[in-house]
Amino acid sequence: MAVPLSVLDLAQVGVGETPRSSFDASVALARLAEESGYRRVWYAEHHNMPSIASSATSVLIAHVAAHTSSIRLGSGGVMLPNHSPLTIAEQFGTLATLHPDRIDLGLGRAPGSDQTTMRALRRDPSSADSFPQDVLELQGYLSGSSRVPGVQAVPGAGTDVPLYILGSSLFGAQLAAHLGLPYANASHFSPDSLEEAVAVYRDTFEPSAQLAEPYVIAAVNATVAPTSARAHELFTAGLRRRVVQMVGRGRSFSEEEVDMIMDSPAGRQIQGMVKYSAVGTPAEASDYIDRFAAHARADEVIVASGIDDTDERLLSYRLLAEQHLHATAA
């Protein structure tokens, strides 16, 4: 059996596009994922990033849920220290009430932004320190067993929205194991922690009411096209754009300048972030994902795409599903 696949949709705003066109693309991708057999689609909370439109994560989930019928949708993740646990319980309790048995709540403790934006969010720099306690408070609201006397999440109480702990370090793995929650590793942009984090999680996992055995989701980049040459062209273009966005911070560069940035220490470091990438034909990408899943000891693989063009991004996900999910099932 092939490892289950899911989608990490970054709600990309391509060159010359708008957030509205990004949301239309997210609906199209979720519908494709639903038709193609992907298990879930997750959206990540990022702020002050012109190329990513998923800042209001719960609102985007509601929009996509209203335009799909069965696929699971969730956050990958909500950066909990940016919010009060009660607010998130109410938001996701509302989603779960409107769309029963379809909503996931992945939680992270990073700001999802830079330091200046963090201050604009009114986030206390020390708020990440209370992340474990905030997860428990949030869990209490959703289960209907509030840890705050006299306070209930309405809607939310009794919805038991499943929680997932996201992480790119050992902290998240240890917390997920201690709380008996599923663990999702951000290996699509932070590959170095993957093996050790998964080992720690599996070795120290404690069963809970939500989960009897450890469950690992590992993230991988995937760029799939009808030919290997086209897939590598798309991957390289996406990688160059990513390096420029992270190094240039809004500045424009000539192709020659981009070449220099790619060869710089900062450029090489950013390229190393996408160490785990399936690039090629459907068969090549599917084979890579099988090997990656075994390496990561993953129960599920969530796929991120850096393809800028919406049509080619949708085709990439469709081709991967046809090869990895449909061909194996047949």
Side-chain angles (χ1 to χ4, degrees):
M1 291 293 293
V3 62
L5 295 184
S6 293
V7 173
L8 178 60
D9 181 2
L10 296 177
Q12 296 160 231
V13 182
V15 177
E17 296 185 346
T18 65
R20 175 66 213 213
S21 62
S22 169
F23 298 148
D24 291 342
S26 288
V27 169
L29 177 54
R31 285 174 168 170
L32 183 152
E34 188 171 77
E35 296 166 359
S36 301
Y38 287 93
R39 178 163 291 185
R40 68 187 92 238
V41 182
W42 279 2
Y43 306 90
E45 177 186 344
H46 292 284
H47 299 281
N48 194 31
M49 294 185 181
S51 61
I52 298 178
S54 51
S55 54
T57 313
S58 60
V59 180
L60 180 55
I61 292 170
H63 176 66
V64 176
H67 289 82
T68 52
S69 60
S70 60
I71 193 165
R72 297 195 69 87
L73 302 167
S75 59
V78 161
M79 300 298 105
L80 188 55
N82 291 344
H83 315 273
S84 74
L86 178 60
T87 296
I88 297 304
E90 291 169 339
Q91 290 177 2
F92 279 78
T94 299
L95 288 169
T97 301
L98 292 170
H99 308 283
D101 300 318
R102 292 185 60 198
I103 303 301
D104 301 327
L105 178 47
L107 302 167
R109 66 169 183 152
S113 60
D114 55 47
Q115 295 296 313
T116 302
T117 307
M118 187 176 74
R119 289 193 291 273
L121 288 166
R122 303 297 190 267
R123 171 173 167 162
D124 185 332
S126 65
S127 56
D129 297 340
S130 62
F131 180 64
Q133 292 76 28
D134 288 346
V135 172
L136 289 172
E137 183 180 335
L138 173 58
Q139 190 176 48
Y141 290 134
L142 293 171
S143 68
S145 301
S146 175
R147 291 171 173 259
V148 181
V151 178
Q152 297 289 334
V154 183
T159 57
D160 292 309
V161 177
L163 304 184
Y164 296 74
I165 300 297
L166 280 57
S168 57
S169 68
L170 296 184
F171 179 88
Q174 292 168 333
L175 180 63
H178 177 68
L179 297 180
L181 296 176
Y183 173 63
N185 186 274
S187 39
H188 65 302
F189 74 84
S190 183
D192 295 340
S193 72
L194 176 62
E195 294 175 67
E196 187 178 5
V198 171
V200 166
Y201 170 72
R202 289 193 176 280
D203 290 347
T204 62
F205 179 83
E206 301 175 20
S208 69
Q210 178 177 328
L211 194 63
E213 298 178 349
Y215 192 87
V216 172
I217 302 175
V220 68
N221 303 284
T223 303
V224 187
T227 68
S228 184
R230 182 55 181 161
H232 281 86
E233 287 175 4
L234 291 168
F235 178 74
T236 299
L239 185 54
R240 288 170 70 87
R241 185 177 62 257
R242 181 174 187 165
V243 170
V244 168
Q245 289 170 346
M246 296 184 71
V247 174
R249 297 186 179 277
R251 289 178 290 166
S252 298
F253 300 98
S254 68
E255 288 300 307
E256 291 76 14
E257 289 172 327
V258 175
D259 289 338
M260 294 177 62
I261 294 171
M262 296 289 285
D263 288 335
S264 70
R268 288 193 295 271
Q269 180 183 11
I270 295 169
Q271 292 177 69
M273 294 168 64
V274 295
K275 171 183 175 180
Y276 295 122
S277 295
V279 183
T281 64
E284 291 168 340
S286 179
D287 179 67
Y288 180 94
I289 286 175
D290 282 337
R291 289 184 279 111
F292 169 75
H295 170 74
R297 301 168 63 192
D299 300 289
E300 179 180 335
V301 170
I302 191 164
V303 179
S305 172
I307 299 175
D308 191 38
D309 181 79
T310 298
D311 290 338
E312 293 204 87
R313 185 164 66 250
L314 294 174
L315 177 61
S316 176
Y317 278 110
R318 185 182 298 280
L319 291 173
L320 180 59
E322 289 174 352
Q323 176 67 39
H324 190 83
L325 300 175
H326 298 178
T328 304

